[in-house]
Amino acid sequence: MRKLVALPVLSADALSSVAYGPEAMLAVLVLAGTAGLGYSIPVAATIVFLMLAIGVSYRQTIRAYPRGGGSYIVASDNLGRVPGLLAAAGLMTDYILTVAVSIAAGVAAITSAVPSLASSSVLIGVAAIVVLLAGNLRGIRQAGAIFAAPTYAFVIAMVALIAVGLSDAADRGFHPVPHPPVNATEGLGILLVMRAFASGATAMTGIEAISNAVPAFKPVEWRNARTTLTWMIGLLVVLFAGIIAIVHYTGILPRSQETVLSQLAHVNYGSGPMYVFTQAATAAVLLLAANTAYNDFPRVLSLLARDDHAPRLFARMGDRLAFSNGIILLSILAGLVYVAFNGRTASLIPLYAVGVFLAFTLSQAGMVVHWWRLRDRHWRKSLLFNAIGGVLSAIVLITAGITKFTEGAWVALVAVALFLFVTTRIRRHYDTVAAALRLQRHSIELPRRTIAPRVDVPLQGVESSRDPRHPRDPQAFARTGAAGESEEAEEVPEEIRHFSLVLIETLDRAGMRALAYAASLQQPVLVIHVSTGEVEAERFRGQWKLWGDHLPLQELVSPYRAVIAPLVNYIEALHHQRPDLTLTVILPEIVMCQRRFSALHSRTAARLRRALRPLRKVVVTTVPFHV
């Protein structure tokens, strides 16, 4: 992406947060009455300083991780497995709440403009999540002017609103308009100010997005990413500070029936076209911000699945090259959270800060360790920036965890603890299964020659160095024979011609058992392996030379981690080239003695069986391996 496109696409989450971050801060301060509102400017100034510090620290992350440095990767690389999982827990919580909070704030913008829809806010929000689910399952991506337009429209609307508000304030000599009388419901104290600070700091969510997506930029990627991050931080600071300033000068207070932005637009524009434009742009960018989580949540979940901390089905892409299972899970969890909190932004905000700043803290701590180990040019300056960012993030994390614990932060803390428990148990299970499946030296007696099975029906057009009935080249074997589709007329054993296809993902005891079963049928055998790239293909070839080189091998490359589609395409081509053959597809299957772990293992056989069902004379069988 060019910087002009990357800026709105990757900044939508961060910039849209000014629609609810300042309001969340003011909603806490107003509890202390007029005295509490007097702290709005100092608290906002502290948040602006935090934005600048975190932005500078993420510039160092982009330089150190030019291929993308999310919190999970940085923390895992530099701090270890458990901190990496904690960072992932913070990210996952952040993404779920990004959808819920953005939808809630977007619906609030709509209901502020059309109050008659307020009673249907939950239904509207759920419908929006369903639309996002359907669109992302269809493979919609954030790219180009379609996704850039809402963010630019929102920035223009906010800049215009701030300019008009400050212009009116200048006409009054920058004297604030007195706000309505406010009765204090809580005493003004350090805890209330810290709560306001933690609520307002939610305006920083989404800052990490650019450091995650460095490879998406045009060359030089890291330099363009840093420039884009600088522009994003600059815009975020201007919008956040500007909104706080005009709120201060216009004397507006948070209200449950109407958002602060809507009140500001009403004061400055009335109910005319500019008011409608402001509300429409706000709702659009918030929905776009929710959609950014649909790119990031499944990707982080796929990284966890790759590292055996999540079910491996989340590492699999769908036909639209999207992580469909992760998209569905995100929609379900975000929908449940949204409904449970009745779609109220104020109720969701206390959950938000914990996940966001847990990921920030661990990412910056990981970068401190990274620079200390590397010690390259300018490492001291980079370490200092990341250390400041990490300390400030930790302060916000602790503040949010303490001051908002009873308001809902405990839910996020419990979710993080539960996530850590589940992911470690999943990793322990996969390690146990891997140990049970691992091939040991001399544990299996390997055939000393190529298997030449006895076949009663001659196979025409097949060459072999040992037996004219055994194919040396399975592809040549498949290319010969009748071109037309034969009838399924085999009713006696002598009329059936077999060809066995063994699907092997990795060479382990389960795979060797499937190979042994196929060889025992005394029919021609072809082994098929699907690789996700040349590195994995090379690794498998090395294993194959040691353990399985007595059988012919066909490798299929699927760089998008799709397995079923390339297998079906290959088997279908084989079937059409030799319709006289009965193809027996043999797969190893892991059978768990404890059924609760069954969901952690693939259902490739069932999915392949459904996909191949329309083909004649194709049999799918599994060879179980019990663990």
Side-chain angles (χ1 to χ4, degrees), residues 14 103 234 273 306 333 363 386 427 433 447 504 554 571 601 605:
I103 294 294
R306 181 199 64 185
L333 294 176
S363 175
N386 285 124
R427 176 59 183 263
V433 173
I504 297 294
Q554 172 65 47
I571 295 171
H601 298 275

Side-chain angles (χ1 to χ4, degrees), residues 114-422:
V114 188
S116 60
L117 296 176
S119 59
S120 304
S121 59
V122 174
L123 184 61
I124 295 172
V126 171
I129 293 175
V130 172
V131 171
L132 289 174
L133 169 64
N136 282 277
L137 287 178
R138 293 288 297 172
I140 292 176
R141 286 288 176 270
Q142 291 186 5
I146 294 178
F147 292 100
T151 307
Y152 278 130
F154 177 74
V155 171
I156 292 171
M158 292 300 100
V159 170
L161 183 63
I162 293 169
V164 172
L166 292 178
S167 175
D168 290 344
D171 293 339
R172 300 190 303 271
F174 289 104
H175 295 297
V177 175
H179 54 70
V182 181
N183 296 322
T185 57
E186 291 187 24
L188 179 62
I190 185 64
L191 287 179
L192 185 136
V193 174
M194 291 174 68
R195 279 167 53 199
F197 171 69
S199 294
T202 56
M204 296 173 54
T205 181
I207 285 181
E208 188 187 54
I210 292 178
S211 69
N212 286 338
V214 176
F217 285 82
K218 283 190 173 183
V220 176
E221 292 86 349
W222 69 269
R223 184 174 290 117
N224 288 331
R226 291 184 67 170
T227 302
T228 306
L229 177 64
T230 302
W231 275 99
M232 183 187 77
I233 296 298
L235 285 172
L236 182 61
V237 167
V238 168
L239 297 185
F240 182 85
I243 289 171
I244 292 295
I246 60 175
V247 167
H248 174 72
Y249 288 123
T250 53
I252 285 175
L253 298 177
R255 288 165 36 187
S256 58
Q257 299 85 5
E258 187 178 8
T259 66
V260 166
L261 283 183
S262 177
Q263 293 181 64
L264 288 172
H266 265 139
V267 168
N268 290 285
Y269 303 135
S271 299
M274 280 303 295
Y275 171 78
V276 175
F277 171 72
T278 301
Q279 293 303 100
T282 301
V285 78
L286 286 166
L287 291 176
L288 176 58
N291 196 56
T292 60
Y294 278 90
N295 286 328
D296 294 332
F297 180 94
R299 183 186 55 82
V300 174
L301 194 55
S302 72
L303 294 176
L304 289 167
R306 181 199 64 185
D307 295 338
D308 289 342
H309 291 300
R312 289 171 180 165
L313 61 91
F314 291 113
R316 188 174 63 237
M317 280 189 170
D319 294 338
R320 299 278 177 168
L321 303 184
F323 294 107
S324 305
N325 295 317
I327 290 170
I328 294 171
L329 179 63
L330 173 60
S331 299
I332 293 173
L333 294 176
L336 290 175
V337 170
Y338 181 84
V339 172
F341 287 85
N342 205 30
R344 294 192 300 268
T345 307
S347 300
L348 291 165
I349 288 295
L351 285 72
Y352 212 0
V354 173
V356 173
F357 284 94
L358 176 61
F360 282 177
T361 302
L362 290 170
S363 175
Q364 300 310 307
M367 288 305 303
V368 170
V369 175
H370 171 82
W371 296 122
W372 180 259
R373 289 174 177 171
L374 188 61
R375 302 195 185 192
D376 63 351
R377 186 183 179 188
H378 303 310
W379 70 272
R380 289 184 176 86
K381 180 180 70 174
S382 298
L383 187 149
L384 178 63
F385 286 142
N386 285 124
I388 293 174
V391 170
L392 293 175
S393 298
I395 292 173
V396 180
L397 173 63
I398 295 171
T399 300
I402 294 174
T403 61
K404 294 183 172 294
F405 185 82
T406 57
E407 297 181 23
W410 66 270
V411 177
L413 293 173
V414 169
V416 168
L418 184 61
F419 178 90
L420 184 62
F421 173 76
V422 171

